[in-house]
């Protein structure tokens, strides 16, 4: 038993873990730097957000360790509970949620604000993986059927519609693209993916035409095409973000020394626009470091997805990589002005307990899948049978049957 535990610990992906620990450590410092001069939100307590983000990170790391210690095959059994909790949370948001920046995305639980849409991202990924794994059990060929695709889309559609009704356009876009990528990773035929893409475009057009989006959200898209159309309104965020990043130069102005951050010109700088702090205070070098660390997380996640033998683990790992990658690109892109402002946080960096905990739970799942899925024979007796072992047994049975008939 002790030897198995030690072997498990040695097989933790230390590169992934190290990159994540560096990112969340930078997160605490960057959030502190973005808020240290903001008396309006700190109440004069310069370390208020330092403590808050440190607590968010600590809570997320504890939960991450818990997920790592739990066999991901048993995590699969808890997936319906996680999915149901996310859906209930999204319904509660619509019923009794509080509105922030035009979107009703938060539920107040005493002194704590929870954003269920962040949990919904993880819930959608593992729920889709569960649907495919359950429907593929006992099949001789693991080809994705039309029924599989429809079932996965229906599972994802409920949270997406609830998020759209808030309306949270940024999270809706992240979820939509993540669902598409999960379907692609699951092996959905290209012609079906093309049809889904066309359906998505038609759906987006319908959403705009029927007035589901608020006017300020439409203005953000217009400002994305030309920020000068409304430099004091919808285009203000983009212009100030570009100025802040440009002022950083190669090596930056130094942590806590950013002129834009000190003056408070960039709105929501500790949350949606945290990357402007990176660009201004750490410069191009620091920006490339953060992007590189995110790239390492995505690389290790893809490697885990490619190496795992379990269908649920493989699809879940691929979905987590898609989610984190899409959201990172969207957040950094809107700070650089190459993507519209949609209000999504930068995973593992932005301030916020819900987003930090959701991202670290996802990392914990990746680490757990990696540690148990390498070809060492550990944990092959979980509730799910190893797919490759099952396939080898089935191939051997067919060969034996063919040989019998030949004789």
């Amino acid at each position: 038993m002790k030897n198995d535990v030690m072997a498990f610990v040695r097989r933790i992906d230390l590169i992934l873990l190290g990159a994540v620990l560096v990112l969340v450590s930078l997160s605490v410092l960057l959030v502190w730097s973005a808020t240290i001069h903001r008396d309006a939100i700190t109440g004069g307590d310069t370390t208020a957000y330092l403590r808050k983000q440190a607590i968010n990170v600590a809570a997320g790391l504890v939960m991450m360790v818990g997920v790592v210690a739990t066999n991901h095959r048993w995590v699969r059994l808890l997936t319906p509970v996680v999915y149901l909790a996310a859906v209930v949370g999204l319904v509660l948001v619509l019923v009794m949620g509080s509105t922030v920046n035009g979107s009703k995305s938060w539920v107040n639980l005493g002194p704590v604000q929870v954003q269920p849409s962040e949990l919904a991202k993880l819930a959608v990924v593992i729920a889709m993986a569960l649907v495919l794994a359950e429907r593929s059990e006992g099949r001789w060929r693991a080809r994705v059927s039309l029924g599989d695709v429809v079932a996965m889309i229906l599972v994802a559609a409920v949270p997406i519609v609830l998020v759209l009704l808030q309306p949270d356009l940024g999270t809706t876009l992240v979820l939509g693209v993540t669902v598409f990528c999960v379907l692609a990773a699951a092996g959905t035929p290209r012609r079906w993916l093309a049809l889904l893409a066309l359906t998505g475009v038609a759906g987006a057009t319908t959403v705009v035409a029927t007035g589901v989006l608020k006017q300020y959200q439409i203005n953000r898209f217009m400002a994305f095409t030309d920020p000068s159309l409304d430099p004091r309104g919808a285009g203000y965020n983009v212009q100030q973000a570009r100025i802040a990043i440009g002022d950083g130069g190669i090596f930056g102005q130094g942590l806590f020394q950013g002129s834009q951050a000190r003056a408070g010109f960039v709105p929501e700088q500790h949350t949606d626009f945290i990357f402007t702090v990176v660009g201004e205070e750490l410069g191009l070098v620091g920006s490339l470091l953060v992007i590189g660390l995110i790239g390492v997380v995505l690389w290790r996640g893809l490697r885990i997805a490619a190496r795992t033998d379990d269908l649920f683990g493989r699809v879940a790992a691929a979905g987590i990589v898609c989610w984190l990658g899409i959201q990172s690109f969207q957040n950094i892109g809107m700070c650089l002005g190459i993507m519209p402002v949609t209000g999504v946080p930068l995973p593992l960096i932005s301030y916020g307990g819900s987003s930090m905990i959701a991202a670290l739970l996802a990392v914990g799942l990746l680490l757990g899948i990696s540690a148990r899925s390498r070809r060492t024979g550990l944990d092959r007796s979980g509730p799910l049978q190893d797919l490759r072992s099952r396939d080898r047994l089935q191939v051997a049975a067919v060969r034996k049957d063919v040989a019998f008939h030949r004789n």
Side-chain angles (χ1 to χ4, degrees):
M1 180 66 179
K2 183 178 179 180
N3 291 337
D4 282 349
V5 173
M6 294 304 297
F8 172 78
V9 172
R10 286 196 297 268
R11 290 165 58 226
I12 293 290
D13 192 327
L14 295 180
I15 297 177
L16 172 59
L17 179 60
V20 169
L21 291 178
V22 173
L23 283 171
V24 296
S25 299
L26 281 172
S27 169
V28 175
L29 293 175
L30 291 169
V31 168
W32 187 19
S33 179
T35 58
I36 193 172
H37 303 290
R38 302 287 184 93
D39 291 343
I41 62 175
T42 63
D45 184 354
T46 58
T47 61
Y49 278 80
L50 168 66
R51 295 193 303 271
K52 290 180 179 180
Q53 187 68 347
I55 292 173
N56 292 336
V57 170
L61 290 175
V62 169
M63 294 184 186
M64 181 188 78
V65 171
V67 173
V68 174
T70 304
N71 192 319
H72 73 275
R73 295 172 175 85
W74 292 106
V75 171
R76 166 177 171 171
L77 300 179
L78 296 174
T79 294
V81 178
V82 176
Y83 178 81
L84 181 61
V87 171
V88 170
L90 292 172
V91 172
L92 288 177
V93 164
L94 297 177
V95 175
M96 51 181 289
S98 57
T99 301
V100 179
N101 293 332
S103 177
K104 185 184 288 188
S105 304
W106 302 85
V107 174
N108 293 320
L109 300 177
V112 179
Q113 277 192 326
V114 179
Q115 190 174 11
S117 58
E118 292 298 326
L119 176 63
K121 297 170 186 175
L122 179 60
V124 165
V125 168
I126 61 177
M128 292 179 69
L130 175 65
V131 168
L132 182 62
E134 289 289 336
R135 292 177 61 89
S136 299
E137 288 295 316
R139 288 184 188 171
W140 162 236
R141 300 189 69 180
R143 178 178 297 174
V144 177
S145 67
L146 178 60
D148 296 336
V149 174
V150 172
M152 287 191 286
I153 291 176
L154 290 176
V155 165
V158 176
I160 290 176
V161 171
L162 291 173
V163 171
L164 183 60
L165 292 175
Q166 293 180 5
D168 186 346
L169 179 60
T171 300
T172 302
L173 292 175
V174 170
L175 282 171
V177 179
T178 300
V179 168
F180 183 85
C181 291
V182 171
L183 291 172
T188 303
R190 293 180 181 178
R191 62 182 183 278
W192 295 358
L193 292 174
L195 179 61
L196 287 172
L198 292 175
T199 304
V201 172
T205 303
T206 302
V207 165
V208 175
T210 55
V212 174
L213 295 184
K214 303 295 184 182
Q215 186 59 45
Y216 77 90
Q217 293 173 317
I218 298 175
N219 291 342
R220 285 178 176 179
F221 276 94
M222 297 301 295
F224 163 65
T225 60
D226 186 2
S228 64
L229 291 176
D230 188 9
R232 295 187 178 275
Y236 178 81
N237 293 13
V238 176
Q239 287 195 337
Q240 294 302 317
R242 287 176 173 176
I243 292 172
I245 293 175
D247 285 349
I250 301 297
F251 299 104
Q253 298 180 11
L255 198 62
F256 307 107
Q257 303 301 317
S259 57
Q260 293 287 106
R262 291 169 68 91
F265 287 138
V266 182
E268 308 297 337
Q269 197 166 21
H270 60 304
T271 54
D272 301 343
F273 287 90
I274 191 71
F275 191 75
T276 63
V277 182
V278 179
E280 182 180 28
E281 299 188 351
L282 303 182
L284 177 63
V285 173
S287 299
L288 292 177
L289 172 64
V290 169
I291 293 173
L293 288 170
I294 294 173
V296 169
V297 172
L298 302 181
W299 161 52
R300 301 306 289 187
L302 287 175
R303 185 172 180 270
I304 290 167
R307 294 188 63 177
T308 184
D309 299 326
D310 173 62
L311 180 58
F312 173 79
R314 182 165 64 247
V315 176
I320 289 170
V321 171
C322 292
W323 155 34
L324 297 179
I326 292 162
Q327 188 164 316
S328 297
F329 177 79
Q330 169 61 31
N331 179 277
I332 295 173
M334 73 180 188
C335 291
L336 297 176
I338 61 174
M339 293 293 288
V341 176
T342 53
V344 295
L346 182 58
L348 302 170
I349 295 289
S350 289
Y351 172 77
S354 299
S355 60
M356 181 62 71
I357 289 173
L360 287 175
L361 284 173
V363 171
L365 185 55
L366 286 177
L367 290 171
I369 293 171
S370 172
R372 292 184 174 86
S373 297
R374 296 175 185 176
R375 302 179 183 91
T376 61
L378 185 65
D379 271 323
R380 294 307 186 195
S381 58
L384 296 182
Q385 185 182 20
D386 172 83
L387 289 184
R388 291 186 180 177
S389 297
R390 187 188 70 189
D391 289 346
R392 285 194 293 268
L393 290 173
Q394 290 173 331
V395 170
V398 171
R399 288 176 176 173
K400 183 178 180 179
D401 185 61
V402 171
F404 173 82
H405 286 291
R406 283 180 178 176
N407 293 331

